[in-house]
Amino acid sequence: MAGRIPDSFIHDLLARTDIVELIGSRVELKRAGRELRGLSPFTSEKSPSFFVSPVKQMFFDFSSGKNGNAIGFLMEFDRLSFVEAVEELARRAGVEVPHEGGHQPHVVMDGPLDALAAAQRFFSEQLRKHSEAVAYLKKRGVTGETAKRFGIGFAPESWNALTDFLKETRHAIDAGLLIEKEGGGRPYDRFRNRVMFPIRDGRGRVIGFGGRTLGNDPAKYLNSPETPLFHKGRNLYGLYEARQATTSALPYLIVVEGYMDVVMLSQHGITEAVATLGTATTREHLQLLFKQTSKVVFCFDGDRAGRAAAWRALDQVLPELFEGRECVFMFLPDGHDPDTLVQEIGADAFRARIEQASPLSEFLLGELSRQVNLGSLEGRARLVALCKPYLEKLREGTLRTLMSDQLARLARLERADIEASLAGRTPQAEPAVAKPASTQKVSRLVRRSLEILLHRPDLAEQVGDVHLLEQSEVAGVSLLVETIDYLHSHPDATAATLIQQLGGAKGAYLQKLLMSDTEHPDYGMPLSERVGDEGLVQEFGSLALQLRERGIDQRINYFMNHAQDLSETEIREWKMLVQSRKRIDRDV
């Protein structure tokens, strides 16, 4: 029979347990000052009177009169005995429960945590000994105080520096610090010649590292591998430091992409920044963020890749937006990331940009509106079809109602029509896209552009505002846009891979253009013989410009015809397009 569980183990287990994380996995909580609030899980109350205190690591339920620590909550909520609740917490922490007078089992997670803590101390000490690492941080503008606050260190350019420092290597291997050699033998250091950024969990424990190379390693940044302690999709760099920087509720959290972005923003007084760890934003990330604040600010580059990343984040965040939660998108000027921008413009101007960031509704409807011609019935119908799967991800509530209202205005429909579309659970067919074949009409501009791209796929990089091409409404332009989009996403693609990817009638049409021995009657001889590379570049640029001009004109005409009903976002777009048209006329 197992003996009594030592009090010291229970105390240590409670210290390891984050009661907010434990209860938040079972009860929906919302921050209220320094505490979190929700509906009682023990009664059927209508208004929240259940509180969780991160500082006290206790819960208080004024509806039922229950309160206690993590063990008490599990006993009440999961209907467990005391021993069963302790065993459940131990399982979550990765340790086995010892019993007095009996066998003391091996502690699974203590070793890796100790190894990571020792490694952090080692890397911090090495930073002071290596001038090249200090010089790199100074060059990036990082002060000694900031480096100390974030625990930044350095891994020497050695295969065994950390291995020699750690007395026991098994735990370091489990923590992802060392790598085992194939066939046995002494393990070696995973991180070498890298500035090291420790990644902490919600309790401040180091659970992994990110390392920035100072050499020519093709992997500029290297993260710890997935371990029982460290999961890239469930952890955020800088979250612990952001929580420690204030005793009040966080007004928002800024999600950036790099370690240095978080560090430099914090150094400038913007301590609310966190970074994903080399992966896209996940639902787990968002649930973690919204436990700390009601507003999330996504900060991305303003280029095509940045907008694509923003769209992926939008898709993940939609189901998490309810009860006053807010999400906005801030796009950076060309050539800047948060690190360089805050150093150039300062904290006040950076925060002003946050205040001007695009709300999720504006970003969603604006991006989808650019893909259609709102001046036509077909375009407005397509917009509704494009928006439907995104609106369906929103929970019933105020935000979904207001977005349906805005979509109804854009589509010139009643909100009841939008709601009916959302309520009808029949699958929405994809918008019909013309599939050019030899018998279908394709404009000369589009045909010629496709011919050139089949010979020079790299020229697709010249086209930036792809959505403006689609607005031109020339015959077959949707195929050209699809071709350019594919080549943007696959810069190494050839004509053969493009044709295979599109397939069907589209692929057959492109195949015919590619394999034709002579050009269309407009030209009368093979393309490769008629013009050289320089001629192709100039001609394609001219064709893209003509299509872009037509797209701008179509969009401007739409805005002029609906001037009384435009939103602020549409008015801004109208002004930008007018300026673009003036620049084109001036340049021409």
Side-chain angles (χ1 to χ4, degrees):
M1 181 177 178
R4 178 177 177 272
I5 302 174
D7 291 338
S8 60
F9 173 80
I10 295 173
H11 293 157
D12 180 64
L13 184 62
L14 288 172
R16 290 171 179 272
T17 301
D18 184 349
I19 196 170
V20 173
E21 181 181 348
L22 173 71
I23 297 179
S25 66
R26 293 163 166 79
V27 180
E28 194 171 283
L29 299 175
K30 183 179 180 181
R31 183 160 290 279
R34 300 188 65 179
E35 298 179 332
L36 292 99
R37 182 176 63 183
L39 295 175
S40 169
F42 308 118
T43 67
S44 56
E45 66 173 352
K46 301 293 185 182
S47 58
S49 64
F50 178 81
F51 292 83
V52 181
S53 171
V55 176
K56 298 177 181 177
Q57 287 292 298
M58 293 186 67
F59 75 91
F60 303 89
D61 183 10
F62 297 102
S63 174
S64 66
K66 301 179 188 297
N67 64 80
N69 57 22
I71 295 174
F73 177 80
L74 285 180
M75 292 174 66
E76 294 288 351
F77 187 86
D78 290 358
R79 299 182 182 278
L80 303 178
S81 67
F82 177 82
V83 172
E84 289 172 334
V86 171
E87 289 175 342
E88 171 61 16
L89 289 183
R91 185 193 63 77
R92 289 169 57 91
V95 299
E96 293 184 21
V97 180
H99 295 271
E100 291 179 345
H103 172 65
Q104 299 294 321
H106 173 64
V107 179
V108 178
M109 289 301 222
D110 279 348
L113 280 172
D114 289 343
L116 287 158
Q120 197 273 323
R121 293 193 298 270
F122 172 75
F123 294 143
S124 293
E125 181 65 29
Q126 292 301 309
L127 178 63
R128 292 189 283 270
K129 296 179 180 179
H130 288 80
S131 58
E132 69 274 23
V134 174
Y136 168 79
L137 290 173
K138 286 183 176 179
K139 181 180 178 182
R140 296 295 299 267
V142 180
T143 66
E145 180 184 350
T146 299
K148 182 178 180 180
R149 183 166 67 253
F150 282 90
I152 298 173
F154 179 68
E157 190 173 8
S158 167
W159 292 90
N160 55 12
L162 182 60
T163 305
D164 291 341
F165 174 77
L166 298 173
K167 293 182 173 60
E168 203 283 327
T169 59
R170 180 70 258 166
H171 296 317
I173 293 171
D174 294 340
L177 294 166
L178 307 181
I179 301 175
E180 289 184 288
K181 288 184 178 179
E182 293 185 8
R186 196 163 185 247
Y188 58 92
D189 294 6
R190 179 181 299 275
F191 298 100
R192 303 179 299 278
N193 193 30
R194 291 179 180 271
V195 173
M196 301 297 291
F197 299 85
I199 303 163
R200 306 179 193 274
D201 66 7
R203 301 183 68 77
R205 303 174 302 181
V206 177
I207 56 173
F209 288 92
R212 201 281 186 193
T213 184
L214 294 187
N216 297 318
D217 194 309
K220 186 176 178 181
Y221 280 93
L222 179 66
N223 286 327
S224 291
E226 297 278 316
T227 70
L229 287 170
F230 176 64
H231 303 276
K232 289 185 290 186
R234 298 207 295 266
N235 294 107
L236 292 162
Y237 177 72
L239 182 58
Y240 174 76
E241 288 79 3
R243 289 170 53 184
Q244 293 297 111
T246 180
T247 57
S248 57
L250 291 164
Y252 48 69
L253 280 169
I254 312 164
V255 180
V256 296
E257 296 185 277
Y259 298 104
M260 285 301 300
D261 297 325
V262 173
V263 169
M264 194 52 61
L265 286 172
S266 179
Q267 183 169 298
H268 282 74
I270 303 175
T271 57
E272 302 91 350
V274 299
T276 53
L277 302 167
T279 184
T281 307
T282 65
R283 289 283 298 278
E284 288 84 355
H285 284 149
L286 292 161
Q287 290 164 3
L288 190 59
L289 289 165
F290 282 123
K291 285 180 181 178
Q292 311 300 325
T293 184
S294 61
K295 181 177 181 179
V296 174
V297 180
F298 285 109
C299 186
F300 291 106
D301 294 341
D303 59 12
R304 189 181 184 87
R307 288 190 169 268
W311 196 258
R312 290 192 293 270
L314 177 147
D315 193 50
Q316 292 293 311
V317 78
L318 286 170
E320 301 299 325
L321 290 180
F322 53 89
E323 290 189 354
R325 292 180 177 182
E326 183 182 0
C327 174
V328 300
F329 294 85
M330 172 183 171
F331 294 101
L332 302 172
D334 289 345
H336 276 295
D337 52 33
D339 167 18
T340 59
L341 184 61
V342 74
Q343 293 190 68
E344 179 177 306
I345 68 176
D348 290 342
F350 195 94
R351 287 194 186 275
R353 285 178 172 268
I354 293 174
E355 296 303 320
Q356 297 166 4
S358 300
L360 177 140
S361 57
E362 182 178 298
F363 177 56
L364 172 63
L365 295 174
E367 290 294 306
L368 295 181
S369 294
R370 292 188 183 96
Q371 299 179 29
V372 304
N373 174 22
L374 290 175
S376 69
L377 297 177
E378 292 80 2
R380 295 197 293 273
R382 186 182 178 204
L383 177 63
V384 174
L386 290 174
C387 288
K388 180 179 178 180
Y390 297 101
L391 292 183
E392 286 177 334
K393 291 185 178 182
L394 286 169
R395 299 193 189 189
E396 295 284 353
T398 305
L399 179 60
R400 177 165 161 166
T401 299
L402 292 174
M403 288 186 67
S404 296
D405 280 340
Q406 180 63 11
L407 176 58
R409 284 192 289 271
L410 291 172
R412 309 291 184 256
L413 293 170
E414 297 294 330
R415 182 162 66 85
D417 297 325
I418 302 297
E419 292 294 345
S421 175
L422 296 177
R425 300 306 175 189
T426 55
Q428 176 68 46
E430 288 295 317
V433 178
K435 297 182 178 181
S438 58
T439 58
Q440 292 179 307
K441 181 175 177 58
V442 176
S443 79
R444 181 191 66 83
L445 290 174
V446 170
R447 185 183 67 234
R448 186 61 177 166
S449 299
L450 289 169
E451 289 168 351
I452 294 175
L453 285 176
L454 288 169
H455 286 80
R456 287 286 305 276
D458 59 296
L459 294 183
E461 296 178 4
Q462 291 187 6
V463 185
D465 300 330
V466 180
H467 66 279
L468 287 176
L469 301 189
E470 196 164 20
Q471 296 288 339
S472 65
E473 293 190 328
V474 301
V477 73
S478 60
L479 175 59
L480 177 61
V481 169
E482 188 173 356
T483 298
I484 293 172
D485 276 336
Y486 179 79
L487 295 176
H488 278 167
S489 303
H490 304 81
D492 297 327
T494 64
T497 56
L498 172 64
I499 290 170
Q500 181 180 0
Q501 173 66 25
L502 296 183
K506 300 176 187 177
Y509 180 79
L510 296 182
Q511 180 76 18
K512 181 178 180 180
L513 290 183
L514 181 66
M515 300 303 293
S516 178
D517 291 331
T518 59
E519 292 302 295
H520 296 282
D522 299 5
Y523 305 99
M525 63 186 300
L527 179 66
S528 57
E529 296 179 14
R530 195 177 75 82
V531 292
D533 281 347
E534 185 176 348
L536 285 178
V537 173
Q538 293 177 353
E539 186 178 357
F540 183 76
S542 175
L543 293 167
L545 180 61
Q546 292 178 63
L547 289 169
R548 187 169 180 268
E549 286 177 322
R550 294 191 183 191
I552 291 176
D553 291 342
Q554 289 280 359
R555 194 74 170 142
I556 290 175
N557 287 338
Y558 164 76
F559 288 142
M560 292 176 66
N561 293 331
H562 301 86
Q564 301 300 319
D565 302 318
L566 299 180
S567 65
E568 291 184 8
T569 302
E570 290 173 316
I571 292 173
R572 286 200 298 269
E573 183 185 352
W574 185 5
K575 292 178 179 178
M576 291 173 60
L577 290 178
V578 169
Q579 292 301 318
S580 296
R581 194 65 173 91
K582 289 180 179 178
R583 284 195 298 270
I584 291 174
D585 292 340
R586 184 178 63 246
D587 293 342
V588 172

